[in-house]
Amino acid sequence: MRPSLQLRMGQHLTMTPQLQQAIKLLQLSTLDLQQEIQEALDSNPLLEVDDPTLNGNDDIKADNNLEAIESAGNEVQASSSDEISTSDALQTENIPEELSTDSQWEDSYSASVSSSISHGADDSYVFQGETKDTIQDHLLWQMELTPFSETDQSIAIAIIDAIDDKGYLTISAEDVLESLGNDDVELDEVEAVLKRINMFDPIGVGARSIAECLLIQLNQFAEDTPYLKEAKILIERHIDLLAIRDFRQIMRKTRLKEPQLKEAMRLIHSLNPRPGDVINESDDQYVIPDVSVFKKGGRWVVELNADSAPKLAINDQYAALARSSSSSDSQFIRSHLQEAKWFIKSLESRNETLLKVSNCIVQQQQAFFEYGPEAMRPMVLNDIAEAVDMHESTISRVTTQKYMHTPRGIFELKYFFSSHVSTENGGECSSTAIRALIKKMVDAEIPSKPLSDSKIADLLADQGINVARRTIAKYRESLAIPPSNQRKSLL
């Protein structure tokens, strides 16, 4: 085969570094974007934060500092001439009976040592994060305050190490005894130490079951507490029926009337079945919204959150060196200058795309902002992509991990997209609206007679929304709403 030359025409998309950077910034969350901006500021000397409050204040600060230094010097001179030192005051035999007008004892006779360290107004305290104790740390601290023998202390350490975050002992007393490897220790000693740990804060920690944990807490009540005996009987003998909320069977077996059972249940509800949660509190997750929506002049307005990311600019002093510096320095400055311009342009493109998509979402979902989630319209990514003339993948990147602050709360942009369910009159209903209706029905139900999934489906059908019972169960589980048999309550 002879080699030959051929000319072909075609189109293809080349992923330039600038395009890759723009796509990368577009899909970053606010926290990731701030970290990316900080890395760019650290690596590129031509990038700086554009803070108008800092511009033009350097001369003023210098003058203020000079005046402060001069005034401080004058005060030092005046104080050195007027005040009496400590050694001189001790050697003085005659102390005046009366001080001069508008003066205090410390002004004339002071034994304090002046500090040479002063903190300026601009000193800032860097928060290093909060240190939290685990359940083991909390129990070990109490163990050290308890008069244990060396043997009992080793048993207590083995027990505390086997307690999980919920506050329960994960191994049996026999396993604790075996882990000690001491033939002189008996099982009764392990049980005795465990009972003492059960009395640690929080009460019930180290229990081996929910029933044991609740009984330990009930034993701390006074003997004359109303319905204490009934509550203990319910936990000791009928905890399985309590778990499934079969109150009719409980009343038949215990021969308790409904008011008596209700009061006993009220006492049980005051207990904590997970004592470890008191110590191991979950960290609060804070969200910085990217855009804000508010009503102005009868119209919904969308604005970017200026605090979500700092505004960047080119350092003019470094940029001017590109002409006056040597060839090697000029090349370095020019390359970083171009990178800085690309980075700022990518940030502006990200903000413009985010604002355009957010405006389109607000226009499509105005009923939600006016009346709530029950009025949410069905909408998919392709609807917004066609409206703003962008690809669906771009809309997906923009709406992922981006948050909108509204008068009804903070929502991820993905929240406004949902599938549709057909109605009897030929219309469509959003799955988000159906979830809101289900939650509203459950909140308004009678606790002693909760609504079943079939009943909720019938109620929605009365409103013209045909939803299968399986779909209701799926939506209910997504809302973390338990089934009707677990929602039944006498209180």
Side-chain angles (χ1 to χ4, degrees):
M1 232 184 127
R2 290 189 303 171
S4 60
L5 296 176
Q6 294 181 354
L7 182 62
R8 294 181 180 179
M9 296 183 62
Q11 292 181 346
H12 66 279
L13 179 64
T14 303
M15 293 286 288
T16 61
Q18 298 82 15
L19 182 59
Q20 294 178 4
Q21 185 181 62
I23 293 176
K24 178 183 178 181
L25 295 180
L26 188 62
Q27 61 188 4
L28 291 180
S29 63
T30 301
L31 295 178
D32 294 336
L33 178 65
Q34 291 176 354
Q35 184 177 359
E36 188 74 18
I37 291 175
Q38 187 59 46
E39 291 178 358
L41 289 171
D42 295 340
S43 62
N44 195 334
L46 276 82
L47 273 177
E48 64 179 6
V49 178
D50 186 13
D51 191 353
T53 59
L54 299 179
N55 297 332
N57 292 339
D58 294 339
D59 297 337
I60 298 175
K61 289 183 178 179
D63 296 339
N64 293 338
N65 292 336
L66 182 59
E67 293 177 0
I69 293 173
E70 292 177 353
S71 61
N74 295 333
E75 292 176 359
V76 169
Q77 293 177 359
S79 62
S80 62
S81 60
D82 296 339
E83 294 183 1
I84 302 176
S85 64
T86 305
S87 59
D88 296 339
L90 293 175
Q91 295 175 0
T92 302
E93 297 180 358
N94 298 325
I95 298 177
E97 297 180 356
E98 295 183 357
L99 297 176
S100 58
T101 307
D102 297 335
S103 64
Q104 297 180 356
W105 177 270
E106 291 83 359
D107 296 335
S108 299
Y109 299 94
S110 175
S112 61
V113 180
S114 61
S115 174
S116 61
I117 301 176
S118 62
H119 297 280
D122 295 335
D123 292 346
S124 59
Y125 174 75
V126 179
F127 180 66
Q128 299 291 339
E130 183 181 2
T131 303
K132 293 186 177 181
D133 291 338
T134 62
I135 185 68
Q136 280 76 22
D137 296 332
H138 188 63
L139 295 176
L140 288 173
W141 168 71
Q142 297 178 74
M143 182 203 69
E144 293 174 355
L145 299 177
T146 305
F148 278 128
S149 64
E150 293 184 3
T151 303
D152 291 346
Q153 192 172 17
S154 62
I155 297 173
I157 293 175
I159 292 174
I160 291 174
D161 289 341
I163 294 177
D164 61 9
D165 293 339
K166 298 177 184 178
Y168 286 91
L169 184 63
T170 56
I171 60 178
S172 63
E174 291 79 5
D175 295 334
V176 174
L177 179 61
E178 184 179 354
S179 65
L180 295 174
N182 189 349
D183 297 335
D184 297 334
V185 180
E186 297 182 356
L187 184 61
D188 294 340
E189 297 181 61
V190 177
E191 293 286 352
V193 174
L194 179 58
K195 287 184 178 180
R196 297 183 68 179
I197 292 178
N198 293 150
M199 297 297 106
F200 283 3
D201 178 66
I203 297 295
V205 68
R208 287 158 285 191
S209 64
I210 294 179
E212 183 182 3
C213 178
L214 298 180
L215 286 173
I216 292 172
Q217 298 178 46
L218 283 177
N219 290 330
Q220 306 309 308
F221 286 86
E223 292 294 334
D224 56 349
T225 302
Y227 301 100
L228 177 62
K229 181 180 178 181
E230 290 80 358
K232 289 183 178 180
I233 292 175
L234 290 177
I235 294 176
E236 289 175 349
R237 305 176 186 176
H238 309 292
I239 193 168
D240 294 336
L241 295 177
L242 285 177
I244 62 176
R245 297 176 181 267
D246 192 352
F247 299 115
R248 183 174 299 179
Q249 188 74 1
I250 291 175
M251 287 187 291
R252 189 182 66 83
K253 289 189 174 183
T254 59
R255 297 182 179 179
L256 292 175
K257 302 296 182 181
E258 184 173 337
Q260 295 174 325
L261 179 60
K262 184 182 296 186
E263 293 301 325
M265 289 297 300
R266 194 183 304 276
L267 182 59
I268 293 175
H269 284 177
S270 66
L271 308 177
N272 185 6
R274 298 174 57 144
D277 291 347
V278 178
I279 308 301
N280 298 319
E281 296 181 354
S282 60
D283 296 332
D284 295 329
Q285 300 294 330
Y286 295 95
V287 172
I288 302 176
D290 298 88
V291 294
S292 299
V293 179
F294 56 91
K295 204 169 188 179
K296 184 178 181 181
R299 298 181 57 187
W300 290 100
V301 181
V302 183
E303 286 186 357
L304 287 172
N305 183 10
D307 297 332
S308 61
K311 187 178 180 181
L312 302 183
I314 302 294
N315 190 308
D316 296 332
Q317 296 180 353
Y318 281 113
L321 294 176
R323 301 176 182 176
S324 59
S325 302
S326 61
S327 58
S328 59
D329 295 338
S330 177
Q331 182 64 28
F332 172 82
I333 295 175
R334 286 179 182 177
S335 62
H336 282 75
L337 177 61
Q338 190 64 35
E339 291 179 4
K341 290 180 178 179
W342 287 339
F343 191 80
I344 294 176
K345 187 175 181 180
S346 298
L347 285 178
E348 293 176 351
S349 176
R350 178 187 187 273
N351 293 336
E352 291 175 0
T353 305
L354 180 59
L355 188 60
K356 184 186 297 184
V357 172
S358 300
N359 270 311
C360 188
I361 290 175
V362 172
Q363 292 176 3
Q364 296 285 342
Q365 300 289 0
Q366 286 197 20
F368 165 82
F369 296 98
E370 294 287 350
Y371 307 107
E374 299 169 13
M376 183 82 77
R377 291 181 51 191
M379 184 175 67
V380 293
L381 294 175
N382 189 50
D383 298 335
I384 300 297
E386 292 179 354
V388 298
D389 195 19
M390 292 182 179
H391 196 270
E392 189 173 337
S393 61
T394 303
I395 305 301
S396 178
R397 293 188 182 97
V398 174
T399 55
T400 301
Q401 294 184 339
K402 312 297 189 303
Y403 294 88
M404 177 183 291
H405 182 265
T406 72
R408 298 187 177 276
I410 296 179
F411 301 94
E412 189 180 6
L413 296 185
K414 288 281 190 184
Y415 172 78
F416 297 96
F417 298 91
S418 59
S419 58
H420 67 275
V421 176
S422 301
T423 59
E424 284 185 351
N425 55 9
E428 294 179 345
C429 183
S430 169
S431 59
T432 304
I434 297 176
R435 289 188 181 93
L437 290 172
I438 294 174
K439 189 176 186 304
K440 184 177 180 180
M441 292 178 181
V442 171
D443 292 340
E445 69 185 3
I446 301 174
S448 58
K449 296 181 181 179
L451 299 174
S452 62
D453 295 339
S454 300
K455 184 62 178 178
I456 294 176
D458 294 338
L459 293 175
L460 290 176
D462 295 340
Q463 302 182 25
I465 305 174
N466 295 322
V467 185
R469 186 195 60 80
R470 297 188 303 274
T471 307
I472 297 294
K474 182 178 68 173
Y475 290 166
R476 176 179 51 74
E477 291 173 358
S478 66
L479 294 171
I481 298 176
S484 58
N485 62 331
Q486 297 183 14
R487 298 199 308 271
K488 189 175 182 181
S489 175
L490 295 177
L491 304 179

